[in-house]
Amino acid sequence: MPLYDYAAVGKGCPKCRNGFEVVQKLAEPRLKKCPACKAPVERVISAAAVHGKYSTKSDSKLKDLGLTKYVKTSDGSYERTVGGGGPKMIRKPEDD
């Protein structure tokens, strides 16, 4: 079963504010509320596990394979550091 990451949409308890993981079946619906405090949560994208010939940390190897790498910045956005696909920056949504 896959492992999904969730985080609070707004304010929440320490568990959901910092993010948490849940093992769920593919057929199960996404969580809408934190199991602890019932605050609204959303599923967040996390890094995929890559194995085999693609499991490298070398930027030059990633570029040679035609892959794109994003690195999280201090403000929570992501900046493309390797490759040419996709946007240069993925900005963190502003809190309401």
Side-chain angles (χ1 to χ4, degrees):
M1 285 194 287
L3 182 66
Y4 293 104
D5 294 326
Y6 287 90
V9 175
K11 295 180 180 177
C13 68
K15 176 180 179 176
C16 63
R17 195 172 39 242
N18 296 326
F20 61 97
E21 298 175 333
V22 176
V23 177
Q24 292 180 293
K25 293 181 182 180
L26 289 172
E28 287 183 59
R30 294 179 180 198
L31 294 180
K32 295 182 191 263
K33 296 180 179 180
C34 171
C37 71
K38 308 299 182 210
V41 295
E42 65 183 356
R43 192 183 295 171
V44 294
I45 297 172
S46 57
V50 180
H51 302 285
K53 69 179 184 178
Y54 300 112
S55 60
T56 179
K57 296 200 186 298
S58 164
D59 288 353
S60 62
K61 183 68 173 173
L62 291 172
K63 186 174 181 180
D64 291 344
L65 292 169
L67 299 174
T68 302
K69 176 181 173 183
Y70 286 89
V71 175
K72 190 172 187 176
T73 62
S74 61
D75 69 353
S77 300
Y78 289 85
E79 181 177 12
R80 185 179 67 222
T81 58
V82 176
K88 179 68 179 161
M89 288 287 288
I90 300 173
R91 303 246 182 246
K92 177 182 172 191
E94 295 297 323
D95 293 334
D96 293 330

